[in-house]
Amino acid sequence: MPTNVSWFNMVKDDDKGSLSLDGTYIQVGRADDNDIVLDNPAIAQHAIVLEAKDDGWHVIVLDGNSIEIADREVFRGESFPIQAKQQLRLFPYTLQLKLDIAPNKRELSRNRLDDQMSLFVRKLHVDLIEKHEQLLEKIYGQLDSPDRENNPQQWRSRVVELITDLENDLDILTERHRLFDEPNFKLLDHFAGHDVRNELLTEIMDTSSGSSSTFSTEQTRSLWSQTQTRHPGREQELVQLAGHVRGQLELDSVGDPSDQIDAIDARFWPRWEGLVSKIHNDFRRYLSQRYLKQQIKDILFGYGPLEDLLRIPSISEIMVVNSDLIYVERNGVLELTGRRFVSDTVTESIMSRIVGRVSRRIDRSQPLVDARLDDGSRVNAVISPIAVSGPCLTIRKFPQHKLSVNDLIAKGALTPTLSDFLKACVLNRCNVVVSGGTGAGKTTLLNCLSDFIPDNERIVTVEDTAELRLQKLHVVRMESKQANVEGFGSYSIRDLVRNALRMRPDRIVVGECRGGEALDMLQAMNTGHDGSLTTIHANNSEDVILRLEVLVQMAADLPIISIHRQIASAVDLIVQLKRCSSGRRCISQVTEVVGMSSEGDGIEMRDLFIMDDDSGDDSLIRPTGHLPSFMPSLLERGFLDLKAFYFQGESATAVS
């Protein structure tokens, strides 16, 4: 059925129109390649998308403008459901929608089943804790037993025995809650569907990553995650069923693992609803029990409802608002997952499990903590009394494979010309500051720049939480340490930077300057440790100077002119990153710190590469034509070809 969209300009009466469009994806913006073109300077090149999903129509704000729906303002990067007949205000336009695709009632039914499923898992978990507390204590005690190292074969046998007892007890508890009675058949089918869906996802992620989980390096992972009470015949049936569903979803025609996962999200449930009635009751029951066992064991030993979210490559961030609200960022857009934790107590227990792996703790006396996962993903956890609405957890995932500069070029983050220039700067031992906002890709770029460091140089890295993954042999890594329970034994970034100077480094790499360590970093750059790298939070190259002023003053009460001289002498290059509304991350500005201005009251800066902000998310950074003051050194040593810099650009700027 066609979709009708009409619009009018609230300022200019004769600027109006209407279209009848087929399809479920309608793009609106100023550029000619949009389905609806609104030719007005106030409208972004690609402003919004109207998309029909399983639960109805949504509007996604891409760039530039926010939009108003009824009394709600929706901002860049957000997705918001809209009704069949509704007005959108995209200043200076009003769009009148007549959407012929109504919300999918089956999807609403699935949402209710998801809620029932969460409640059932919650009841099962509570019963298990109450009725089998001693069994759980034995399992936890055995997992930490000294026999794990001293007598691994006996230890493994004992753990498998205890996990098998746990799974058998879960079978009994499931029977008691009457999941297999006729009134619960729809819920039973929903559990079974989730198990088949997980099997498909696991197959894709195992094939693409070569590992089953973040816990894959742990011996305990294979013991508690596998279903010890599996039935070989039923498992073979599951493999055949998953293969059949895979064929129906046409996954083999989709090459990229992320696209395959997106295809499962979009197509699985309609296919499952047409298939489940043909599956024997005993097999559906087996699948349901299998899925329930995995859910409970994830809560007891793993990351609970976050377990598989951590493995999906298209998800870049996981945000737990409270125990009942879990959001993810997928391809740059926020989504509500519909998942939930069993309780606040379980949420806090999983938080403690995460931070405990890097020797940190979270409790009422220390309710806020930064940590990391085994794969380097960044974790921030907050609990009461700071978190008012419940325990809050944010996980910024690292990609499964370390990105190279060629990967960044392919993603449009930079150009080959700029890549060659940055490589030359690193080889020339220029001091580089990578700046940008949260999630702009500073750490990723820092990893890539480190690839250019010659293999015969000694690198010392200093980080608050160890995230850098330098593909070099001679790397000394240091991570800050918080105080122990008695309040002693803390080592700050500043302590570690000072210590790094005593370790005979050729290069010092500081993960992020966010405090007084900025002064020590500048002094290191000024005292023979050329070629050092660091990152900083700032909106543009000029703001980097202002931010460094503040950070240095946190360490010492120095006059601004002295700070400027330190910066001008230490920093050679600022590389600015930005995060586009489409989710793309790119370098937007490369600026040389030339030195002190001729008046001596500020720092002279010169843009070497810059991106045109008015050219939309698809624009690429271009050389301005200005040559850096250290260009003779690059040319003399054969690090760079001059021709890339012949381009008319901006003049030098000064920050006073």
Side-chain angles (χ1 to χ4, degrees):
M1 295 289 289
T3 299
N4 297 313
V5 183
S6 59
W7 64 91
F8 64 89
N9 191 320
M10 294 179 283
V11 179
K12 190 177 179 182
D13 291 340
D14 60 347
D15 186 2
K16 57 186 176 182
S18 64
L19 278 176
S20 181
L21 299 166
D22 291 322
T24 59
Y25 189 92
I26 301 170
Q27 188 166 286
V28 182
R30 190 171 81 247
D32 293 336
D33 60 349
N34 290 287
D35 300 299
I36 297 176
V37 179
L38 302 178
D39 188 11
N40 188 290
I43 302 298
Q45 294 277 344
H46 302 96
I48 63 172
V49 161
L50 305 174
E51 184 177 5
K53 299 184 178 181
D54 287 340
D55 59 342
W57 281 87
H58 288 245
V59 60
I60 302 168
V61 182
L62 298 180
D63 196 12
N65 318 73
S66 63
I67 63 170
E68 293 183 17
I69 305 174
D71 58 349
R72 166 70 188 267
E73 187 170 9
V74 183
F75 296 96
R76 187 172 69 177
E78 287 190 287
S79 175
F80 191 78
I82 52 179
Q83 303 302 315
K85 294 182 179 181
Q86 194 157 30
Q87 281 190 348
L88 307 182
R89 287 182 290 280
L90 177 64
F91 185 83
Y93 291 92
T94 294
L95 279 70
Q96 179 68 50
L97 310 177
K98 293 182 180 178
L99 308 172
D100 293 317
I101 301 178
N104 190 325
K105 293 182 179 179
R106 291 186 303 177
E107 178 66 22
L108 298 177
S109 175
R110 284 198 293 272
N111 291 339
R112 286 194 291 269
L113 286 171
D114 281 337
D115 289 338
Q116 293 178 30
M117 185 176 71
S118 297
L119 292 173
F120 191 93
V121 171
R122 182 175 297 183
K123 287 191 293 185
L124 205 62
H125 180 264
V126 170
D127 273 10
L128 183 68
I129 298 297
E130 290 179 352
K131 295 180 169 56
H132 303 276
E133 185 176 355
Q134 290 184 346
L135 173 61
L136 294 176
E137 288 179 356
K138 287 181 182 178
I139 295 174
Y140 285 129
Q142 193 64 35
L143 290 175
D144 298 328
S145 170
D147 288 341
R148 179 177 175 179
E149 303 294 337
N150 301 334
N151 194 342
Q153 186 172 357
Q154 182 178 341
W155 173 84
R156 179 184 176 86
S157 176
R158 179 59 179 153
V159 171
V160 168
E161 180 183 338
L162 291 170
I163 295 294
T164 304
D165 290 343
L166 172 66
E167 292 179 6
N168 289 329
D169 288 338
L170 287 172
D171 285 338
I172 296 171
L173 291 175
T174 304
E175 291 271 10
R176 289 180 183 172
H177 285 292
R178 301 182 179 277
L179 175 63
F180 309 119
D181 290 358
E182 186 174 353
N184 289 322
F185 276 0
K186 284 189 176 180
L187 183 59
L188 176 72
D189 293 344
H190 199 60
F191 276 119
H194 271 287
D195 194 55
V196 176
R197 179 177 176 275
N198 278 4
E199 189 70 14
L200 290 171
L201 292 173
T202 298
E203 179 186 346
I204 292 169
M205 290 183 284
D206 286 357
T207 302
S208 62
S209 66
S211 63
S212 60
S213 169
T214 17
F215 284 90
S216 59
T217 57
E218 296 271 334
Q219 189 176 10
T220 52
R221 166 69 190 177
S222 60
L223 292 178
W224 65 256
S225 67
Q226 293 180 7
T227 306
Q228 303 298 335
T229 54
R230 287 181 178 180
H231 187 284
R234 294 299 189 195
E235 290 298 314
Q236 185 60 37
E237 285 185 71
L238 174 57
V239 171
Q240 294 172 355
L241 177 59
H244 176 71
V245 176
R246 183 184 181 89
Q248 285 197 331
L249 300 179
E250 300 177 344
L251 296 183
D252 292 335
S253 63
V254 183
D256 185 79
S258 295
D259 292 339
Q260 289 182 333
I261 292 169
D262 290 342
I264 291 174
D265 286 341
R267 308 173 196 164
F268 175 80
W269 287 109
R271 294 287 193 279
W272 175 252
E273 289 167 2
L275 182 66
V276 66
S277 60
K278 303 173 185 177
I279 300 174
H280 194 276
N281 287 341
D282 288 344
F283 186 40
R284 281 152 49 198
R285 173 172 174 161
Y286 175 80
L287 295 175
S288 301
Q289 289 174 310
R290 188 177 185 272
Y291 180 74
L292 277 169
K293 291 170 185 176
Q294 188 62 60
Q295 290 291 293
I296 294 296
K297 289 191 292 182
D298 283 343
I299 293 171
L300 295 174
F301 310 112
Y303 292 163
L306 310 182
E307 186 71 31
D308 58 333
L309 297 179
L310 288 164
R311 301 163 58 199
I312 297 176
S314 59
I315 293 176
S316 56
E317 196 133 7
I318 301 170
M319 292 149 280
V320 179
V321 178
N322 55 49
S323 296
D324 292 323
L325 280 176
I326 302 175
Y327 285 84
V328 296
E329 181 188 73
R330 190 195 303 263
N331 300 322
V333 179
L334 295 184
E335 297 178 8
L336 179 62
T337 64
R339 298 163 183 261
R340 61 186 65 185
F341 284 91
V342 169
S343 65
D344 286 354
T345 302
V346 169
T347 309
E348 293 182 12
S349 173
I350 290 174
M351 286 180 175
S352 297
R353 192 174 301 146
I354 292 172
V355 303
R357 299 173 71 84
V358 288
S359 302
R360 301 198 174 184
R361 63 188 178 88
I362 184 167
D363 51 39
R364 283 192 162 270
S365 63
Q366 190 170 317
L368 186 153
V369 68
D370 289 314
R372 58 181 165 82
L373 301 179
D374 291 344
D375 63 355
S377 296
R378 188 181 307 172
V379 177
N380 176 268
V382 188
I383 63 172
S384 178
I386 292 179
V388 178
S389 59
C392 175
L393 181 68
T394 308
I395 301 176
R396 180 174 302 159
K397 290 173 54 185
F398 266 31
Q400 291 179 339
H401 306 289
K402 180 183 178 293
L403 296 178
S404 66
V405 171
N406 289 334
D407 293 325
L408 298 187
I409 293 173
K411 292 175 180 290
L414 74 165
T415 62
T417 298
L418 179 52
S419 171
D420 291 341
F421 174 70
L422 293 177
K423 179 178 181 179
C425 292
V426 173
L427 291 173
N428 197 52
R429 300 186 67 85
C430 294
N431 293 320
V432 180
V433 175
V434 178
S435 64
T438 300
K442 298 186 295 298
T443 303
T444 298
L445 181 61
L446 197 63
N447 270 318
C448 291
L449 292 180
S450 71
D451 290 341
F452 299 141
I453 298 175
D455 292 333
N456 62 349
E457 295 188 11
R458 175 177 169 87
I459 307 169
V460 178
T461 69
V462 176
E463 300 176 80
D464 192 24
T465 55
E467 300 168 350
L468 294 172
R469 292 188 284 183
L470 275 59
Q471 303 298 305
K472 300 291 177 181
L473 182 62
H474 198 165
V475 179
V476 179
R477 305 175 69 201
M478 292 191 291
E479 181 181 60
S480 65
K481 180 181 179 298
Q482 295 180 347
N484 58 22
V485 179
E486 291 78 23
F488 300 105
S490 67
Y491 290 91
S492 67
I493 295 288
R494 192 173 185 191
D495 295 330
L496 300 183
V497 171
R498 287 198 293 261
N499 188 73
L501 299 175
R502 306 184 183 100
M503 300 175 71
R504 197 263 176 216
D506 289 310
R507 311 251 187 169
I508 298 176
V509 180
V510 177
E512 182 179 345
C513 282
R514 61 178 67 164
E517 65 273 4
L519 175 59
D520 301 286
M521 187 69 203
L522 292 176
Q523 290 178 334
M525 291 175 173
N526 275 323
T527 54
H529 298 94
D530 294 332
S532 295
L533 306 170
T534 189
T535 72
I536 193 170
H537 275 80
N539 295 323
N540 52 55
S541 297
E542 288 76 17
D543 284 352
V544 170
I545 307 301
L546 303 177
R547 177 110 167 105
L548 283 172
E549 290 176 10
V550 174
L551 296 181
V552 170
Q553 288 181 320
M554 294 171 65
D557 186 15
L558 297 174
I560 294 297
I561 187 67
S562 297
I563 298 174
H564 280 180
R565 287 172 179 164
Q566 284 275 346
I567 296 171
S569 176
V571 179
D572 296 307
L573 205 66
I574 297 172
V575 181
Q576 179 69 34
L577 289 153
K578 82 169 186 177
R579 180 180 181 181
C580 302
S581 59
S582 62
R584 172 178 164 235
R585 295 155 170 89
C586 58
I587 297 176
S588 60
Q589 187 179 16
V590 178
T591 305
E592 181 194 6
V593 179
V594 180
M596 295 296 293
S597 63
S598 57
E599 293 80 10
D601 58 351
I603 296 176
E604 184 180 356
M605 303 172 69
R606 179 184 295 126
D607 286 334
L608 306 177
F609 291 80
I610 197 163
M611 177 183 288
D612 183 3
D613 288 338
D614 296 329
S615 53
D617 278 359
D618 296 331
S619 61
L620 292 175
I621 192 167
R622 306 175 187 277
T624 64
H626 291 295
L627 300 180
S629 60
F630 49 83
M631 178 60 84
S633 176
L634 302 185
L635 297 175
E636 181 182 344
R637 302 175 71 179
F639 292 152
L640 194 65
D641 187 345
L642 186 60
K643 64 182 181 181
F645 284 83
Y646 285 114
F647 186 88
Q648 184 62 37
E650 301 292 331
S651 59
T653 60
V655 178
S656 58

